[in-house]
Amino acid sequence: MKLSLVVPCYNEEQNVSLFYEKVKEDFSKVKFDYEIVFINDGSSDNTIDELKKLCKDKKKKIKVIDFSRNFGKEAAMYAGLKNASGDYVTIIDADLQQDPKLVLDMVKFLDENDDYDCVAAYQEERIEGKVLSFFKNSFYKLINKMSDTTFVRGASDFRTCRRRMVEAIISMEEYFRFSKGIFAWVGFKTYFIPYVAHERASGSSSWSFWKLFKYAIDGIIAFSTVPLRISTIVGLLSSVLSIIYLIVVIVQKLVFSIAIPGYATIVVLILLLGGLQLFSLGILGEYVARTYVETKKRPIYIAKEIISYEK
Ligand code: UDP
Ligand code: MG
């Protein structure tokens, strides 16, 4: 098997057959063997029935992994990579925002360039609001400062990897998966090609601002321990400042005999330090909570059923 397409699907009943037809059309001329691995990520609509319909097409190699509930796109991608058997594996969305035609370019590139192990598509221009764009820029600046892993802005999960890179990715069995970081962390030479995302064929994106924000926090915590150091630094700074202030107060009192009006200062300091303490406790808590969940070693996904083609 030369190529596997890994396609996470969450509430994509309108899109899966469109996607499938598009792949069939774009791949009609290829000479190599390929399979499509669909993951139904606990959709609440009829995605699974649509996928089962596709499986009836015995001429094509289709695998369906049906999750017992919604585990998220990260888990779906992991399941797909685990169950893909191609020498090259492509991760692509089911909503036709990413053009299957581009996969052919990716495959061609890997065929011609032995020294590269991955071709990733990135969006040069995104049609999105200024506010969102600002937050995304800040996120990339922040995480690249905090982490040893380099994060490329605009790089998507839409990529084709060679088998050895796929093996490296599935060897990372962490529960809190942040694929942008995982792809970079495993190393391997990656080539970036620009692409323009199309409008969603049908349905709506499952990403809200809040979900993106939480995802960003997850990314920072998964790939950096710098936030843990913030409390050390802030603690040190406030200790130094309070010692300076102490000296000032003593000098004021003893040398200049100035009466020290304390009420406001005390209230402000109590609130400030209390806030800082809670904040750093919170950061600590984020890491402890993740450690707690990771130590349980729960599976990343649970498949209710795996439908495979006959070999
Ligand atoms: N997806 C998934 N599980 C989820 C959310 C999304 O498998 O919990 C899939 C979804 O079906 C689609 C892909 O991940 O194929 C990208 O999702 P979406 O289009 O919502 O994200 P966007 O394109 O806006 O980044
Ligand atoms: Mg999409």
Side-chain angles (χ1 to χ4, degrees):
M1 177 79 55
K2 168 102 167 175
L3 177 72
S4 303
L5 296 178
V6 166
V7 194
C9 311
Y10 175 59
N11 292 348
E12 305 278 9
E13 60 178 353
Q14 313 272 353
N15 293 333
V16 285
S17 59
L18 286 177
F19 174 84
Y20 179 61
E21 291 305 325
K22 179 90 170 62
V23 170
K24 266 207 318 206
E25 188 190 316
D26 291 348
F27 282 52
S28 58
K29 289 207 182 67
V30 300
K31 302 224 164 46
F32 56 76
D33 210 12
Y34 69 93
E35 65 172 3
I36 309 180
V37 184
F38 287 104
I39 300 96
N40 176 36
D41 185 11
S43 303
S44 51
D45 63 2
N46 287 323
T47 304
I48 187 63
D49 298 330
E50 291 295 321
L51 290 175
K52 281 182 176 162
K53 262 187 227 160
L54 299 183
C55 286
K56 296 210 176 92
D57 184 351
K58 294 290 174 211
K59 269 180 259 146
K60 291 280 178 259
K61 295 188 163 134
I62 299 178
K63 232 184 236 180
V64 173
I65 302 161
D66 189 16
F67 280 5
S68 59
R69 63 168 168 86
N70 178 251
F71 280 87
K73 188 186 176 191
E74 295 287 340
M77 289 193 289
Y78 179 78
L81 292 179
K82 260 205 127 146
N83 287 282
S85 45
D87 297 332
Y88 299 163
V89 181
T90 303
I91 299 169
I92 182 168
D93 290 353
D95 54 12
L96 285 172
Q97 284 190 292
Q98 303 164 340
D99 196 342
K101 249 194 216 125
L102 201 65
V103 178
L104 298 175
D105 296 337
M106 291 176 166
V107 169
K108 189 160 168 266
F109 182 88
L110 286 180
D111 277 342
E112 287 166 0
N113 296 276
D114 276 342
D115 50 334
Y116 281 90
D117 284 303
C118 182
V119 184
Y122 76 95
Q123 272 176 280
E124 268 182 321
E125 275 171 57
R126 262 188 196 241
I127 313 145
E128 62 190 11
K130 282 216 170 72
V131 182
L132 189 61
S133 186
F134 166 78
F135 274 107
K136 282 189 178 172
N137 273 332
S138 319
F139 166 74
Y140 281 101
K141 264 190 211 139
L142 191 70
I143 198 164
N144 277 320
K145 273 222 173 74
M146 284 186 174
S147 173
D148 300 332
T149 312
T150 312
F151 292 75
V152 181
R153 193 197 190 303
S156 60
D157 300 327
F158 181 26
R159 55 182 66 217
T160 303
C161 305
R162 244 182 251 282
R163 168 79 11 214
R164 54 180 176 226
M165 183 163 167
V166 174
E167 295 297 331
I169 294 167
I170 51 189
S171 73
M172 293 177 77
E173 291 175 327
E174 56 220 69
Y175 187 81
F176 289 97
R177 304 187 73 74
F178 188 70
S179 57
K180 282 183 205 318
I182 290 176
F183 292 141
W185 192 90
V186 293
F188 297 97
K189 219 166 151 187
T190 301
Y191 183 74
F192 288 94
I193 49 174
Y195 85 107
V196 183
H198 302 292
E199 284 289 315
R200 238 173 180 284
S202 159
S204 62
S205 168
S206 47
W207 289 99
S208 59
F209 180 79
W210 182 236
K211 248 181 143 177
L212 273 178
F213 182 75
K214 277 203 329 215
Y215 188 60
I217 301 278
D218 279 342
I220 293 175
I221 292 178
F223 283 89
S224 167
T225 50
V226 170
L228 282 175
R229 235 168 280 153
I230 291 178
S231 42
T232 320
I233 296 166
V234 172
L236 219 79
L237 252 164
S238 61
S239 308
V240 171
L241 285 180
S242 55
I243 289 172
I244 295 174
Y245 187 57
L246 182 74
I247 296 171
V248 171
V249 170
I250 292 174
V251 170
Q252 277 181 333
K253 180 85 188 162
L254 294 185
V255 182
F256 301 107
S257 306
I258 303 172
I260 314 290
Y263 173 70
T265 329
I266 288 173
V267 171
V268 168
L269 282 182
I270 286 179
L271 286 179
L272 178 72
L273 286 180
L276 287 176
Q277 279 169 359
L278 284 179
F279 178 62
S280 47
L281 262 181
I283 293 176
L284 197 67
E286 292 287 329
Y287 282 88
V288 174
R290 277 166 182 73
T291 316
Y292 172 61
V293 176
E294 292 284 0
T295 53
K296 291 194 206 181
K297 293 232 170 293
R298 286 188 179 159
I300 296 165
Y301 67 92
I302 292 171
K304 194 157 68 175
E305 189 182 6
I306 297 181
I307 306 166
S308 196
Y309 52 85
E310 279 134 48
K311 289 201 177 99

